[in-house]
Amino acid sequence: MSICIAYPTAPRLTSRRYLIDNYDKGHKLLPADKHLRSRTQVFIHAAEGTFMLHGLAILYARWQFPRDAAQQHPEILNELEEKLSVNVQKDFDWLEQELGQSTGQFLVGNQVTAADIMVQFSIEFLLERGLGTKGKSWPKINAWNARCKATETFKAAAQKTGHTLNP
Amino acid sequence: MQPHPPAIHPSERGAGSSALPRPPAPILKYRVASKHRELGSFASKLPYDARAIDDRQKSRRTPAMTRLSNLAYHSKYHDTRKAMPDITLFFLQASRAIRPAWALQELGLDYQIEFSERQDKVKAAPPEFKQKSGNPLGKFPTLKDGDLLVHESGAIVE
């Protein structure tokens, strides 16, 4: 009965850290080493809190900017996008620099970790939609992105789900 | 999955425990089911937190018990069959859902896909798909493992 009182069951449980907590006993996605683990966690959170945040600000501006104003004064939206792009440019420069410092093929070492899984989608999405990238190219990011997409596991996931950013 | 049992950390090593490595934690479904059998059918209807049960058991475990269970795990009679998780990924096209799909592949887990295109290919998810996933915000990916629903690609992967 004590269990019942201490932990009332919610109708729907949600969990943070689900797959790693429950199925990554071999520390494949989140390394066991303290330093590598915290480096991985930086990228896991940067995927949404840095890259997607700054990129989606531009996407939402495009979607929500009043249509009449955009037709009459397109320079306003252009200026807005130009200013919002500063953050994205900094983010990509940072990632380029981090990839230069990585000792392996991927963001944390020579194996795919949760860092690559999280950040790859953000990078692919921002480049594909041209959100703040201003047509610029980052050679190390491009090479890493291609390596991610060439892994057997990514190819299997893409094939099983039919994933594409341009349906 | 789980090719090598993790080595015992010195702090976890009880007095006189055997040199065998500690076996990995049992799979959740088995652990919960066995606890329910112990408590009887009435208890199985009660809310519970599996991790709390496990912690309570751990505190009661003596070195002799640990040694015995290690021996049982490494004996030839140990059942190595694994309970395959019953995972469904609600996958909205052109979304963050590729992240958990890739993570599941990396972990070598089997999973089902519930796939949906966006409305007019590029707009929001169809309302019936939102409802089916059970996610209150109607956002994707959503992962269902047994009775458990997890939202947010970051939370699913991590």
Side-chain angles (χ1 to χ4, degrees):
Chain A
M1 282 308 281
S2 63
I3 301 164
C4 165
I5 293 159
Y7 299 95
T9 302
R12 178 183 292 122
L13 293 168
T14 54
S15 164
R16 304 203 62 223
R17 300 169 48 94
Y18 193 71
L19 289 178
I20 285 176
D21 264 7
N22 292 291
Y23 298 112
D24 189 26
K25 304 296 182 207
H27 296 288
K28 194 172 185 185
L29 296 185
L30 188 64
D33 175 81
K34 194 170 81 176
H35 295 98
L36 296 181
R37 191 174 65 230
S38 62
R39 182 175 161 86
T40 309
Q41 277 165 334
V42 167
F43 289 118
I44 289 173
H45 291 275
E48 287 295 316
T50 300
F51 295 105
M52 288 304 269
L53 177 74
H54 294 150
L56 287 177
I58 298 171
L59 189 68
Y60 291 157
R62 283 183 199 168
W63 283 351
Q64 309 300 347
F65 200 76
R67 199 151 292 175
D68 292 347
Q71 277 167 1
Q72 286 166 18
H73 304 285
E75 69 280 4
I76 298 179
L77 186 56
N78 288 343
E79 192 184 333
L80 186 62
E81 229 180 85
E82 184 70 28
K83 284 177 177 168
L84 289 171
S85 297
V86 174
N87 275 334
V88 178
Q89 296 280 322
K90 282 182 189 166
D91 299 344
F92 272 68
D93 290 345
W94 168 64
L95 188 66
E96 182 79 359
Q97 193 193 332
E98 287 292 337
L99 280 164
Q101 285 169 6
S102 176
T103 50
Q105 299 268 297
F106 294 97
L107 281 172
V108 184
N110 251 326
Q111 305 293 326
V112 170
T113 62
D116 304 289
I117 292 175
M118 289 298 292
V119 177
Q120 190 274 338
F121 173 82
S122 309
I123 295 303
E124 180 79 5
F125 186 76
L126 266 55
L127 287 170
E128 191 65 43
R129 300 281 187 268
L131 299 172
T133 51
K134 299 201 283 188
K136 217 180 130 184
S137 179
W138 288 265
K140 288 195 179 92
I141 292 178
N142 290 346
W144 160 80
N145 190 10
R147 274 199 295 279
C148 285
K149 289 194 281 188
T151 58
E152 289 305 318
T153 46
F154 184 93
K155 284 193 279 188
Q159 197 187 8
K160 181 160 177 165
T161 59
H163 168 78
T164 168
L165 282 180
N166 295 305
Chain B
M1 250 172 65
Q2 304 177 347
H4 306 295
I8 309 173
H9 189 269
S11 65
E12 290 179 354
R13 208 174 283 153
S17 75
S18 76
L20 288 171
R22 197 166 56 133
I27 288 163
L28 195 68
K29 277 180 191 169
Y30 281 4
R31 195 160 67 205
V32 170
S34 67
K35 191 67 194 171
H36 282 181
R37 271 199 298 279
E38 279 172 37
L39 293 173
S41 59
F42 170 70
S44 69
K45 294 186 180 68
L46 292 175
Y48 61 84
D49 185 292
R51 205 166 295 176
I53 294 170
D54 193 49
D55 284 345
R56 273 150 44 98
Q57 283 178 339
K58 212 182 276 176
S59 66
R60 286 187 202 144
R61 199 186 293 156
T62 63
M65 286 162 74
T66 309
R67 203 156 56 233
L68 201 64
S69 65
N70 281 3
L71 274 174
Y73 177 79
H74 290 282
S75 81
K76 63 176 176 178
Y77 302 109
H78 179 68
D79 187 359
T80 51
R81 280 176 299 175
K82 295 198 174 65
M84 266 326 268
D86 173 26
I87 296 176
T88 304
L89 178 63
F90 289 84
F91 189 99
L92 179 68
Q93 183 59 291
S95 80
R96 293 166 171 90
I98 188 64
R99 286 173 178 162
W102 187 12
L104 285 159
Q105 292 287 349
E106 277 289 329
L107 293 171
L109 294 170
D110 198 14
Y111 59 102
Q112 307 287 319
I113 292 287
E114 281 278 350
F115 178 88
S116 174
E117 290 280 2
R118 290 169 180 271
Q119 297 184 83
D120 304 331
K121 294 278 184 194
V122 291
K123 292 179 184 166
E128 59 275 13
F129 190 58
K130 290 183 183 183
Q131 201 175 12
K132 199 173 171 189
S133 77
N135 181 334
L137 278 174
K139 291 291 177 190
F140 298 93
T142 294
L143 182 124
K144 188 163 162 284
D145 184 2
D147 300 329
L148 195 74
L149 278 178
V150 197
H151 321 132
E152 291 287 330
S153 67
I156 296 171
V157 171
E158 244 200 287

